[in-house]
Amino acid sequence: MRSLKAAAAAVLVLAALTGCTREGGRVDMGPTGGVPVEGGTATMALPPNATPNWIFPIGPPGYGASYNAGIQFLLFMPVYDAVLDRKNGELTTHGPSTLGLQPRYSDGNKTVTLPLRKGVKWSDGKPVTARDLEFWFNLVKANKAQWGAYSVGTMPDNIKAFETVDDHTVRLRLDRAYNPDWFTANQLTRMRALPQHAWGARIDGGPVGDFDRIEKGAKEVFARLTRHGKSLGSYGSDPLWKTVNGPWKLAGWRDSGQVTIVPNEKFTGPQSERPHLDKVVFKPFTTADSEYNVLRSGGVDYGYIPPSVMAQKGRFEDKGYRVDPWEGWAATYIVYNFNSTHAGPLMRQLYIRQAMQHLVDQKAMSDVIWQGSATPTLGPVPVTPKSQYLSKAMERDRYPFSVAKAKSLLTARGWETRDGTARCVRPGAGADRCGEGIEGNDPLELTLLSQSGSTETTNMMQELKSSLSKAGIDLTVRQQPLNSVLGNSVPCTAKDPGCDWDMSFFGTAGSWYYPLNPSGEQLFSTGASANFGNYSDKKADRVIRAVQYSPDMKAVHEYGEYLAEQLPVMWMPNPAYQVSVIRNDLRGIEQNPTVTFSPQDWYFVKHADKSDKNDKKNADKKEADQ
Amino acid sequence: MTSAAPTSTPVTAPGHEEAARATPSLARRTLDVFTGNKLALTGVVLLALLLLFSYVGPLLYDTEQTHTDLSRANLSPGTEGHLLGTTDLGYDMVGRLMVAGQTSLEIGLAAGLLATLFGTVYGAVSGYFGGWVDAALMRITDAALAIPAMFLLVVVAAIITPSKGVLILVIAAVAWLSPARLVRGEALSLRNREYVQAMRMMGGGGARAVFKHIVPNAIGTVIVNCTFQIADAILYVSYLAFLGLSIPPPSADWGSMLSAGITYTQNGYWWLIFPPGIAIVLVVAAFNFIGDGLRDAFEVRLRK
């Protein structure tokens, strides 16, 4: 109780300091006031079609969804993670909820030493040690192809040697010097501590040993754990998953994806991380409509509404909820296919991309179509919440909405609008000509694959089509289900069949969620795995590499500014991860932009507002429903 | 006593005059039955009004329906001269209804007519030739009928980018089954009539029998069914649009307008929901009324 009061007091002080707003670039801490009480059950709605289906912290490809990782972190303390630094309200890589303390870089940033929090024990009483990190490393190294987070050249490839200094210190020898900020934020955050003493057997019922220290043994141990991971129905009863070190333990995991957690009474981490609630239920929904109906009937304490309902914010507030968009640490964009059979030469012209970007009225789209729940994307580095990665220059909109500027860019390079469509009248590669590969009389016609199922996205594409047509650019929008769009927007060469897509959009809930450091090596480097449009630029490759290797923050700024200007993609409004609707008397909720959650910080308060009168009744009803 | 002056009118036998008055032409008698049906006339008037609204309306009430205007989104009726308000993208609602009406009516009419035409010929061939031809053609029909139409429509529309032509073909492709079965039933009966037998004895071929005798004599059934097919096709367009499978913007149809409007139910933007919904109800009701009227008109027993 004392810690709860201290936490509440800290929240109050922080609220006063930060103003509890995103305007200052800090993470929203939610409302304050009321008398904190221990206990209670909170129900959180999962996103539509988000079905938690993986508990083993090494997820195979296809099981790396944020809701899986979010739940795993509640059971197994992360070594490093994007967590809120309560002193300044910003995100950092370590804190009370992480096992790792401040990492120390040495040897010209070729070595990193990881001190681990002392006194932390597994729920069976055994201490959490460096051996548990080594166990994870050995499993990942021997089975990297089966690890969903693996990509060539990154963890574990970039670690030459894993050394155990003592029970609570690990040293990693790296294959070259890295930018400490990038390495900690984007590499060390992938590390986990797994209970070697409980999970280290090769076969069920077999002895536990150091089998992971040889490759064959590591494969066998990994295969056994993965096999258990696939048995979704037995998560609640499987003894393997009962050995945890996080603030929560599993109380139930239904096939439908409903997960119930209760406090781990043997939690030995920091006092501030002890849960206040008795139980948290993560409820899955197949559609946003079904979630909305349950939310309206009071069936969830922490849910979400579609942006189109933002105008009805007052109704929810009257019912005792607060409405708070959950901003993601993401970039949203339309991919240009630089190798498109038809439009490749058009896409490769910077002036055409600039003209098109001038025709995206991001502010109007954010305010009207997204009802204020989206913010303009100005480059690869997210503008909100503000961070050290964002320079002043990156906050400037280089391509404000202007039909006149777009038209003048096109006319200056030999385009003339006839019958509503711009056509090249000065072909060739000169400075005042259309550009290489564009023939005389070629029309500026493009096809966009866009995901269906969202009114906001459909309207955004209608608005875009309308704006582009004002400068003579004829855009054909083909709406397809998300999976079809992703399936059709694969990297290709002009000669490949199916390389006829010109542009592609799959960002209804944000196109790309970054790890803490918003580097673009997976998005914009030549040949990168998520570089679907085959963007390739030597300087871009160089500035991206600098973010990975140079400790100077200027490298991130140079990368952000260069790509904001070069437009490897068409920047589009970045929608909130979700427009959250939270019961007023449920407090302590920090909507982490990396879309993880910390229910150990949540607590109920008395006398928050009139809805308190129904608290008991609602809690009883939910208990009965569950 | 004066004798009566002879009349200048031709003398006809009283029985013949009565007969001439009692037996107007077939078309006249059909029209009389149709016009005597108040619901059928209501349907005709409704359809005429909707056609005028959709095609003549834009000439009298000019609005911007190509470019969006987000600064005027979701204006309520009567605001800034917008009689029925504006849509979520700032289009004038009345103008949008007109443009959308053109799409819905064109697809509905074309798909209904195409389905009826194909189904009629298919059914007539099947019924007239009988035997293994009938068995084969009807098994194909039965198999196609076993697949839910909406399922097929959704699958096809999801694979192919919807356009007017695509939607007409797709809807017609699932709608021809009903007229095919109906006409096949008629053809089974007609092929044994004396005039068909006589034509065959005189060396007439199958094509002549189908197109000169079977189809013309089943025309009542065909026309009635056609009106229902059109109504169904308009509903199919609306269903598909409601599921997000409509013609890409800036085109619109009443179904996609309704679908977009439903999103704002909680906001109380009734003008985005009721007008397209009412338009769909009216056009479907109009075709059904007309269909009912035509069925009565082609019913021999109801002719006076």
Side-chain angles (χ1 to χ4, degrees):
Chain A
M1 190 66 182
R2 191 179 159 190
S3 67
L4 180 61
K5 282 181 181 168
V11 168
L12 273 169
V13 171
L14 188 61
L17 288 172
T18 63
C20 278
T21 171
R22 284 177 307 284
E23 283 169 16
R26 295 164 196 279
V27 177
D28 194 345
M29 302 290 288
T32 55
V35 180
V37 290
E38 289 286 337
T41 298
T43 305
M44 183 186 189
L46 291 166
N49 274 323
T51 310
N53 57 358
W54 197 256
I55 192 171
F56 178 35
I58 304 175
Y63 290 86
S66 62
Y67 43 86
N68 278 333
I71 291 167
Q72 288 161 16
F73 281 171
L74 305 178
L75 311 176
F76 307 98
M77 277 180 88
V79 181
Y80 293 98
D81 188 23
V83 295
L84 185 70
D85 177 358
R86 292 201 166 95
K87 281 183 188 165
N88 58 19
E90 288 182 354
L91 290 171
T92 182
T93 51
H94 54 277
S97 62
T98 61
L99 198 60
L101 305 174
Q102 171 87 51
R104 294 191 300 270
Y105 286 82
S106 57
D107 188 23
N109 293 332
K110 286 183 180 173
T111 300
V112 56
T113 306
L114 316 177
L116 302 180
R117 191 177 297 282
K118 289 177 182 167
V120 180
K121 292 180 179 172
W122 293 102
S123 49
D124 57 10
K126 298 273 196 266
V128 178
T129 67
R131 175 71 181 100
D132 296 322
L133 257 76
E134 187 204 342
F135 180 59
W136 171 85
F137 182 76
N138 291 338
L139 293 188
V140 160
K141 197 174 175 188
N143 301 278
K144 59 190 181 187
Q146 282 85 55
W147 182 32
Y150 173 72
S151 59
V152 178
T154 62
M155 184 83 80
D157 294 349
N158 50 16
I159 296 176
K160 275 201 309 191
F162 183 104
E163 297 170 3
T164 303
V165 179
D166 60 39
D167 269 359
H168 295 95
T169 312
V170 163
R171 184 176 294 137
L172 305 177
R173 305 272 182 200
L174 311 181
D175 63 346
R176 58 158 296 147
Y178 282 95
N179 169 11
D181 183 85
W182 178 83
F183 198 84
T184 306
N186 294 13
Q187 299 291 281
L188 294 184
T189 46
R190 296 182 184 184
M191 297 187 79
R192 305 283 181 267
L194 307 179
Q196 184 271 333
H197 67 277
W199 292 6
R202 287 177 299 175
I203 51 168
D204 287 338
V208 171
D210 291 335
F211 306 112
D212 56 295
R213 285 182 166 154
I214 54 165
E215 191 178 336
K216 184 170 175 286
K219 283 184 187 294
E220 288 169 344
V221 172
F222 182 83
R224 171 177 169 256
L225 293 170
T226 301
R227 199 169 54 249
H228 280 264
K230 285 178 182 168
S231 181
L232 192 63
S234 67
Y235 282 2
S237 56
D238 193 329
L240 272 181
W241 316 128
K242 292 190 187 301
T243 309
V244 296
N245 64 356
W248 300 91
K249 65 179 182 182
L250 202 57
W253 192 311
R254 295 188 192 168
D255 287 343
S256 66
Q258 178 164 311
V259 177
T260 305
I261 53 171
V262 294
N264 170 13
E265 64 278 8
K266 291 176 181 168
F267 178 64
T268 48
Q271 191 73 8
S272 63
E273 296 303 303
R274 286 185 179 280
H276 306 296
L277 301 175
D278 290 333
K279 190 194 282 184
V280 175
V281 180
F282 298 100
K283 215 167 187 160
F285 289 92
T286 47
T287 64
D289 283 343
S290 60
E291 187 276 343
Y292 183 65
N293 290 331
V294 174
L295 176 71
R296 289 179 70 204
S297 67
V300 291
D301 304 304
Y302 185 177
Y304 50 86
I305 53 172
S308 57
V309 187
M310 276 287 273
Q312 298 306 302
K313 192 177 169 183
R315 282 194 191 174
F316 285 97
E317 287 169 348
D318 289 345
K319 282 183 179 175
Y321 290 89
R322 60 182 189 275
V323 177
D324 190 7
W326 185 346
E327 288 181 350
W329 187 239
T332 299
Y333 48 79
I334 290 175
V335 178
Y336 291 128
N337 184 3
F338 289 85
N339 284 350
S340 164
T341 314
H342 152 70
L346 300 173
M347 303 284 85
R348 287 194 282 273
Q349 300 301 324
L350 177 60
Y351 77 90
I352 291 181
R353 304 202 299 274
Q354 288 173 326
M356 286 168 60
Q357 192 66 53
H358 271 304
L359 294 166
V360 185
D361 192 352
Q362 291 205 62
K363 186 162 187 326
M365 287 178 179
S366 303
D367 292 346
V368 179
I369 294 173
W370 291 98
Q371 305 270 318
S373 67
T375 47
T377 302
L378 304 178
V381 177
V383 178
T384 55
K386 292 208 170 39
S387 66
Q388 57 175 334
Y389 306 109
L390 195 70
S391 67
K392 281 280 174 202
M394 276 189 259
E395 289 183 67
R396 182 171 62 85
D397 188 355
R398 285 171 166 73
Y399 303 104
F401 178 65
S402 170
V403 177
K405 279 187 182 171
K407 277 183 177 171
S408 100
L409 276 166
L410 293 175
T411 335
R413 296 293 296 262
W415 291 87
E416 200 175 282
T417 302
R418 294 182 216 145
D419 302 327
T421 304
R423 288 183 180 273
C424 173
V425 289
R426 288 202 302 275
D432 63 343
R433 297 186 172 272
C434 300
E436 205 177 320
I438 301 171
E439 305 290 330
N441 210 34
D442 271 3
L444 236 175
E445 290 173 343
L446 300 164
T447 301
L448 165 66
L449 303 179
S450 174
Q451 74 179 96
S452 55
S454 154
T455 305
E456 288 77 22
T457 296
T458 303
N459 286 352
M460 215 164 43
M461 296 310 142
Q462 282 199 55
E463 163 64 14
L464 182 65
K465 180 183 171 67
S466 165
S467 300
L468 292 180
S469 72
K470 288 175 186 167
I473 302 172
D474 185 8
L475 182 73
T476 302
V477 181
R478 284 187 192 157
Q479 288 210 303
Q480 297 176 341
L482 178 62
N483 286 340
S484 301
V485 174
L486 290 171
N488 290 327
S489 319
V490 289
C492 54
T493 61
K495 288 176 186 170
D496 292 344
C499 202
D500 53 353
W501 62 278
D502 305 331
M503 299 158 79
S504 156
F505 180 77
F506 42 81
T508 296
S511 299
W512 182 263
Y513 279 78
Y514 289 107
L516 201 48
N517 185 312
S519 58
E521 69 273 9
Q522 284 178 277
L523 291 178
F524 306 120
S525 285
T526 301
S529 57
N531 183 355
F532 300 124
N534 271 311
Y535 173 71
S536 181
D537 180 279
K538 282 180 184 168
K539 187 175 175 188
D541 289 342
R542 184 171 60 73
V543 294
I544 289 168
R545 274 197 302 274
V547 177
Q548 292 175 263
Y549 303 148
S550 167
D552 191 346
M553 192 53 75
K554 281 182 186 164
V556 183
H557 296 167
E558 192 188 356
Y559 143 77
E561 289 163 24
Y562 182 70
L563 288 174
E565 187 186 297
Q566 286 296 306
L567 303 168
V569 290
M570 180 188 276
W571 307 118
M572 294 294 286
N574 188 34
Y577 170 67
Q578 66 180 34
V579 179
S580 300
V581 177
I582 309 164
R583 253 175 69 167
N584 254 335
D585 58 345
L586 180 59
R587 302 288 167 83
I589 293 173
E590 299 151 0
Q591 303 210 90
N592 189 319
T594 58
V595 300
T596 57
F597 28 79
S598 309
Q600 56 270 29
D601 297 333
W602 304 354
Y603 58 94
F604 282 107
V605 292
K606 276 186 190 169
H607 314 304
D609 57 23
K610 61 186 176 184
S611 70
D612 283 348
K613 284 181 237 167
N614 299 321
D615 284 353
K616 179 76 173 66
K617 206 166 78 181
N618 287 342
D620 292 347
K621 185 174 173 290
K622 281 203 296 289
E623 283 286 335
D625 289 344
Q626 287 150 24
Chain B
M1 202 80 181
T2 52
S3 59
T7 59
S8 59
T9 49
V11 177
T12 51
H16 283 185
E17 191 179 327
E18 203 176 321
R21 275 201 307 271
T23 54
S25 71
L26 180 66
R28 177 74 201 179
R29 279 180 287 154
T30 305
L31 187 65
D32 284 347
V33 176
F34 185 79
T35 51
N37 187 328
K38 284 179 185 168
L39 272 180
L41 285 180
T42 308
V44 171
V45 172
L46 271 177
L47 185 60
L49 287 175
L50 286 167
L51 286 167
L52 281 172
F53 174 76
S54 301
Y55 289 93
V56 182
L59 304 175
L60 306 173
Y61 185 78
D62 187 25
T63 55
E64 169 62 87
Q65 294 296 325
T66 307
H67 294 120
T68 57
D69 183 357
L70 294 182
S71 65
R72 289 167 180 255
N74 295 324
L75 293 179
S76 54
T79 314
E80 295 181 21
H82 297 286
L83 197 62
L84 270 180
T86 59
T87 69
D88 52 355
L89 286 169
Y91 293 119
D92 177 83
M93 195 63 192
V94 175
R96 200 77 185 146
L97 280 169
M98 293 171 179
V99 173
Q102 293 175 10
T103 311
S104 292
L105 288 167
E106 282 167 20
I107 296 177
L109 282 164
L113 288 171
L114 186 62
T116 307
L117 188 69
F118 183 76
T120 299
V121 174
Y122 189 95
V125 168
S126 178
Y128 174 76
F129 287 102
W132 67 268
V133 175
D134 182 43
L137 292 180
M138 281 303 111
R139 292 302 78 72
I140 294 171
T141 314
D142 291 343
L145 275 169
I147 304 170
M150 269 319 284
F151 172 77
L152 265 181
L153 287 172
V154 169
V155 169
V156 175
I159 295 168
I160 306 166
T161 303
S163 65
K164 263 188 198 174
V166 166
L167 282 181
I168 290 168
L169 287 175
V170 166
I171 293 171
V174 296
W176 65 270
L177 302 163
S178 164
R181 288 189 73 88
L182 278 172
V183 173
R184 182 238 179 199
E186 289 279 314
L188 282 176
S189 152
L190 290 170
R191 71 173 182 172
N192 294 322
R193 298 283 169 90
E194 291 83 355
Y195 54 87
V196 179
Q197 300 288 351
M199 182 223 64
R200 287 171 68 178
M201 287 183 72
M202 285 188 277
R208 183 178 179 85
V210 166
F211 291 106
K212 290 281 182 185
H213 297 285
I214 304 291
V215 173
N217 281 291
I219 200 70
T221 308
V222 170
I223 289 175
V224 170
N225 188 259
C226 183
T227 57
F228 296 129
Q229 288 296 327
I230 294 169
D232 286 350
I234 290 171
L235 276 180
Y236 277 136
V237 179
S238 304
Y239 294 154
L240 286 172
F242 199 81
L243 295 170
L245 301 165
S246 56
I247 302 169
S251 297
D253 59 84
W254 289 331
S256 62
M257 287 182 75
L258 182 62
S259 173
I262 293 288
T263 312
Y264 300 96
T265 308
Q266 297 299 323
N267 295 354
Y269 299 164
W270 60 267
W271 62 93
L272 298 181
I273 302 166
F274 288 118
I278 290 170
I280 293 170
V281 170
L282 287 181
V283 73
V284 172
F287 276 109
N288 277 291
F289 290 160
I290 293 169
D292 281 344
L294 286 172
R295 189 182 53 205
D296 291 350
F298 286 115
E299 178 59 61
V300 176
R301 284 168 297 176
L302 294 177
R303 290 178 193 151
K304 290 172 185 168

